[in-house]
Amino acid sequence: MSSIAVPPAGGEKIGVAVLGATGAVGQRFIQLLEGHPWFAVRELVASDRSVGKAYAEAANWLVSPDIPPDVAGLPVKGLDARLESPVVVSSLPSDVAGNVESRLAKEGHRIFSNASNHRMGADVPLMVAEVNPDHAEALHTQRKRLGSEGFIITNGNCTTITLVLPLAPLHRAFGVEAVIVTSLQAASGAGYPGVPSLDLIDNVVPYIGGEEEKLQSETAKMLGGWQGGQFRPAPFPVSATCTRVPVRDGHTESVSVRLRAKASGDELIAAWREFRGRPQELNLPSAPKHAVIVRDEQDRPQPNRDRMAEHGMASVVGRLRPCPILDWKFVVLGHNTIRGAAGASILNAELALAEGWL
Ligand code: NAP
């Protein structure tokens, strides 16, 4: 597969295959890619349960009133299908994603994945487009290893993306020295059908397998650098507690931070409000105008009211106040299947296309 450029207005769009197309994140991909100026969904992949069916028959569509008409009739393919689409977005479960994504990357596909398998890979960017686009340097090493023009760029876990967006400007301006975070994660974070309703209604589940470790290690990789041919994680500790709450969409996190350079609350708020990255500079189609939104009201952010800020692409921060143990504490909210998953991958794909990495 040769290099891929932004299609001219009115020209042929770049084909995208969605892996895990029937799931919670796969549905978001299809919804968010409808009418996209550069990309068009052409292929869908899911489990044996769905293979051979038309998408409308295979998917229990939940994210909007109707399945986009261009996608409803597409046949669902299996994991071993040969794919034609140069760009592949993956929302497969981690028990099957690793090998499939590696094979497709070797075949030359550009993979943008939400699965955890390759996130900590030695030459795999774990990328939030506003935060660490410089990690794309690792693609040279990865492409050499794969012997192909293909590659894998991963998204962080949904909770990590929500956290890293407000941490990045603080780390740049003041230096983060320590983070304590407790998450209240929505039901859709566990996929569909996810946590049984009788385990979740009227309840809080104080454990999500593997989630705390991911939040700790992925934050360090994203806020670290790519130097001397390897990733150097940010040196500060993150202590995480992850819980599941009966909210449909939107992960809330209570965060305390210690900063190297002492800063006032107004300085933190200014760092958030002024935060811009490459997606905003390049005016990418899915870029939020502001990746971090600050709410002044004392009872915000709330999932129900704030998860769709910037079309679900922003982390919404509020309740900034002094922390008697570390320096500052605040609450942050992000939409887990949009900014925390499908929307973040699409933004990474747009950035890759605009920067010429494809
Ligand atoms: P989900 O709702 O359970 O969907 C899983 C998808 O994968 C479905 O399309 C399913 O197809 C397909 N699938 C399952 N087993 C398969 C197999 N053996 N072969 C081929 N396809 C198979 O899960 P999800 O929440 O969308 O999560 C997908 C991935 O994204 C996971 O790796 C998850 O950790 C990650 N992620 C999720 C979120 C979130 O908020 N949900 C956020 C960030 C990252 P069938 O319908 O045919 O079974």
Side-chain angles (χ1 to χ4, degrees):
M1 248 173 239
S2 52
S3 69
I4 305 165
V6 174
E12 176 88 10
K13 292 184 186 177
I14 298 161
V16 175
V18 182
L19 310 185
T22 49
V25 177
Q27 294 193 17
R28 283 287 179 207
F29 272 125
I30 290 165
Q31 181 196 28
L32 296 175
L33 286 169
E34 184 181 17
H36 194 281
W38 301 342
F39 300 118
V41 173
R42 304 248 194 264
E43 292 170 295
L44 306 169
V45 172
S47 77
D48 290 346
R49 184 189 73 75
S50 309
V51 172
K53 295 181 185 165
Y55 184 70
E57 197 192 334
N60 180 17
W61 184 258
L62 291 171
V63 295
S64 66
D66 294 303
I67 299 176
D70 291 354
V71 172
L74 288 180
V76 178
K77 302 182 179 185
L79 279 187
D80 51 1
R82 274 207 92 72
L83 300 178
E84 306 282 326
S85 307
V87 171
V88 174
V89 294
S90 173
S91 50
L92 288 171
S94 55
D95 53 340
V96 292
N99 291 340
V100 178
E101 292 175 358
S102 296
R103 171 177 62 79
L104 290 169
K106 278 194 189 123
E107 287 173 12
H109 298 276
R110 281 64 158 176
I111 317 285
F112 297 87
S113 175
N114 288 281
S116 58
N117 308 69
H118 296 291
R119 284 181 192 155
M120 300 308 288
D123 54 16
V124 179
L126 175 62
M127 191 181 289
V128 174
E130 289 89 346
V131 172
N132 58 340
D134 53 309
H135 287 201
E137 275 296 308
L139 294 178
H140 299 297
T141 311
Q142 191 191 143
R143 281 174 148 153
K144 257 186 229 154
R145 172 173 61 80
L146 294 170
S148 143
E149 283 298 298
F151 60 70
I152 301 171
I153 292 179
T154 55
N155 265 354
N157 168 284
C158 36
T159 316
T160 316
I161 297 175
T162 299
L163 175 67
V164 157
L165 280 168
L167 280 189
L170 300 189
H171 193 45
R172 276 180 209 167
F174 315 112
V176 172
E177 285 195 335
V179 178
I180 299 174
V181 51
T182 301
S183 71
L184 297 85
Q185 299 184 211
S188 64
Y192 183 80
V195 187
S197 57
L198 288 184
D199 287 343
L200 199 56
I201 295 171
D202 187 29
N203 205 9
V204 171
V205 181
Y207 173 71
I208 305 175
E211 203 82 347
E212 293 169 0
E213 294 77 5
K214 287 179 198 161
L215 190 47
Q216 293 168 177
S217 59
E218 291 175 14
T219 301
K221 183 172 177 180
M222 285 178 187
L223 292 180
W226 170 262
Q227 287 147 5
Q230 53 184 298
F231 291 112
R232 312 269 177 186
F236 59 82
V238 177
S239 174
T241 302
C242 294
T243 75
R244 183 81 63 200
V245 297
V247 165
R248 185 183 171 128
D249 291 313
H251 292 350
T252 305
E253 301 172 42
S254 165
V255 186
S256 290
V257 284
R258 188 167 64 226
L259 303 173
R260 193 177 325 117
K262 296 307 160 204
S264 68
D266 286 346
E267 287 172 317
L268 266 70
I269 288 170
W272 285 326
R273 291 204 161 126
E274 287 159 17
F275 181 49
R276 301 280 182 283
R278 288 298 284 156
Q280 288 72 33
E281 287 165 15
L282 294 166
N283 198 19
L284 295 176
S286 303
K289 201 159 178 295
H290 300 281
V292 178
I293 303 273
V294 183
R295 301 288 325 191
D296 298 320
E297 305 89 328
Q298 61 182 1
D299 61 352
R300 303 280 284 273
Q302 298 177 14
N304 204 288
R305 297 168 79 173
D306 295 308
R307 62 190 162 212
M308 289 312 293
E310 296 277 10
H311 305 284
M313 288 296 284
S315 277
V316 184
V317 170
R319 301 221 57 226
L320 179 67
R321 59 229 192 271
C323 170
I325 298 174
L326 303 184
D327 288 323
W328 289 98
K329 53 185 175 176
F330 60 90
V331 174
V332 60
L333 167 83
H335 196 302
N336 52 294
T337 61
I338 302 180
R339 187 67 222 227
S345 285
I346 294 169
L347 191 59
N348 281 343
E350 292 170 0
L351 183 66
L353 188 57
E355 297 282 31
W357 310 332
L358 288 195

